[in-house]
Amino acid sequence: MKPIYDRVALIGLGLIASSMAHAMRRHGLAGEIVGHARSTETRDVAREIGLCDRVCDSAAEAARDADLVVLCVPVGAMGAVAEEIAPVLKPGATVSDVGSVKRDVIQAVGPHIPEGVHFVPTHPLAGTEHSGPRAGFAELFENRYCLIVPDGADRDAVDRVETLWRAMGAKTDEMDADHHDLVVAVTSHAPHLIAYTMVGVADDLRRVTDSEVIKYSAAGFRDFTRIAASDPTMWRDVFLHNRKATLEILGRFTEELFALQRAIRTGDGDLLFDYFTRTRAIRRGIIEAGQDTDAPDFGRVKKS
Ligand code: NAP
């Protein structure tokens, strides 16, 4: 395929950036891929595995002369990185990000984007609990949605970013930032918090020993432990920056939980049966939509 961008700069070289680098390489989507990571350790690994054509020691050096700069750092670090690269961005270039939260990222990054440079926020709904430059793989985005939040950006710039994601195997949809944040609070952020909590509860419950938890862990709990192994920095930032939507969903979750708790206490089998019948139908709908490999952001476990 003809390259979509002559030079793509990836800032932050973790799971998402490394998967993008592999996918762009595989499909010939970038003339040159340049990368930067904050630590020398990550930059050394990226060089060792040949992740990019060039690994730079600063974000600004990587972004200079790039046609597309993708910010692949934790949500809370986006603003500072945008500020650092702003002076070197070339006119007509596009800056994008892959952060799991959109409204706060737009507020943090937007003010730093110079006149004549386009900003197209995105969020690929794909991931694993692994992180770092070795975690990526070219198929990560295949058949997964990448949500695009145009937020008034130039139409051609948005279309080109969408073309890139489709060429990497993703399906795309456009969405408003606030709606995005609410959708992912339901499908990803609140479920992650619940998984973290459940694993914490099992750890606190001293009557069940750690070895029993591991030995007898059934599918549900095993899935929770996998989700709860996700990167702590990334998820801390997600909750701090998607506060409003996550709290709204957790409020509703708590109400439903109390209703189920009451049904168990009062022996209301009909309520439990009806509830589980409704949720089973939702699961079947997900399978019919072809989104059953894993929930968004829960991702696939990388085969090592
Ligand atoms: P990751 O594997 O943990 O990699 C994060 C990268 O950002 C690393 O290169 C790290 O550098 C760098 N970094 C961390 N803190 C930084 C800071 N304060 N300033 C500058 N650079 C910093 O993360 P990831 O999973 O690829 O996630 C990257 C972004 O994608 C996040 O915004 C996340 O919300 C979003 N996202 C993640 C998933 C997922 O499931 N993982 C899915 C969709 C979107 P060092 O290695 O040098 O520390």
Side-chain angles (χ1 to χ4, degrees):
M1 195 185 246
K2 193 172 164 291
I4 296 168
Y5 293 95
D6 288 335
R7 183 180 293 172
V8 175
L10 300 171
I11 312 297
L13 294 173
L15 168 72
I16 300 296
S18 58
S19 296
M20 288 183 75
H22 289 302
M24 287 191 288
R25 277 256 172 87
R26 175 176 292 181
H27 302 290
L29 307 177
E32 187 188 16
I33 302 170
V34 186
H36 163 74
R38 170 183 61 161
S39 67
T40 14
E41 194 190 340
T42 300
R43 294 198 295 271
D44 286 347
V45 172
R47 286 185 183 114
E48 185 193 320
I49 63 176
L51 192 60
C52 307
D53 299 303
R54 216 152 38 85
V55 175
C56 303
D57 290 339
S58 78
E61 197 188 331
R64 191 182 299 278
D65 285 330
D67 302 285
L68 173 68
V69 182
V70 191
L71 310 182
C72 305
V73 297
V75 165
M78 296 280 183
V81 173
E83 186 175 11
E84 188 192 336
I85 62 170
V88 305
L89 292 169
K90 84 173 178 190
T94 295
V95 173
S96 186
D97 79 283
V98 294
S100 305
V101 176
K102 295 276 65 93
R103 177 57 66 201
D104 267 23
V105 168
I106 289 169
Q107 273 164 5
V109 172
H112 299 295
I113 304 296
E115 200 59 38
V117 172
H118 313 293
F119 178 38
V120 183
T122 71
H123 178 197
L125 301 182
T128 75
E129 72 280 23
H130 301 291
S131 47
R134 291 187 198 275
F137 53 106
E139 302 85 5
L140 179 67
F141 310 114
E142 276 175 19
N143 206 29
R144 311 310 305 243
Y145 273 100
C146 179
L147 299 179
I148 315 280
V149 179
D151 200 48
D154 174 77
R155 192 65 244 174
D156 288 345
V158 174
D159 287 345
R160 211 157 156 204
V161 168
E162 286 205 42
T163 305
L164 175 70
W165 280 101
R166 292 220 180 111
M168 289 192 290
K171 301 184 273 191
T172 58
D173 262 344
E174 292 184 15
M175 214 175 257
D176 157 77
D178 295 322
H179 189 62
H180 164 278
D181 289 355
L182 185 63
V183 167
V184 295
V186 180
T187 59
S188 171
H189 302 173
H192 264 84
L193 199 73
I194 292 159
Y196 281 124
T197 314
M198 198 55 230
V199 175
V201 166
D203 188 44
D204 281 350
L205 193 70
R206 294 290 169 211
R207 274 172 295 156
V208 181
T209 64
D210 283 355
S211 64
E212 279 176 314
V213 167
I214 293 162
K215 191 168 159 195
Y216 303 127
S217 77
F221 187 74
R222 259 204 314 269
D223 287 347
F224 279 160
T225 59
R226 181 171 63 75
I227 295 162
S230 300
D231 185 67
T233 306
M234 173 189 151
W235 284 98
R236 177 203 61 196
D237 282 12
V238 165
F239 293 119
L240 293 182
H241 292 274
N242 198 14
R243 209 183 295 234
K244 187 167 160 249
T246 311
L247 288 177
E248 183 186 333
I249 300 307
L250 287 174
R252 286 166 186 256
F253 173 82
T254 314
E255 282 175 23
E256 301 272 309
L257 190 65
F258 280 147
L260 293 178
Q261 190 177 340
R262 186 179 151 76
I264 293 168
R265 188 161 43 77
T266 59
D268 190 345
D270 289 347
L271 188 145
L272 294 174
F273 185 84
D274 290 347
Y275 200 97
F276 300 156
T277 304
R278 185 157 64 86
T279 54
R280 183 182 229 192
I282 294 170
R283 169 68 190 165
R284 288 186 174 156
I286 292 171
I287 293 170
E288 276 159 28
Q291 292 295 308
D292 61 318
T293 44
D294 268 316
D297 264 15
F298 285 20
R300 286 177 293 184
V301 182
K302 182 174 178 271
K303 313 274 183 305
S304 52

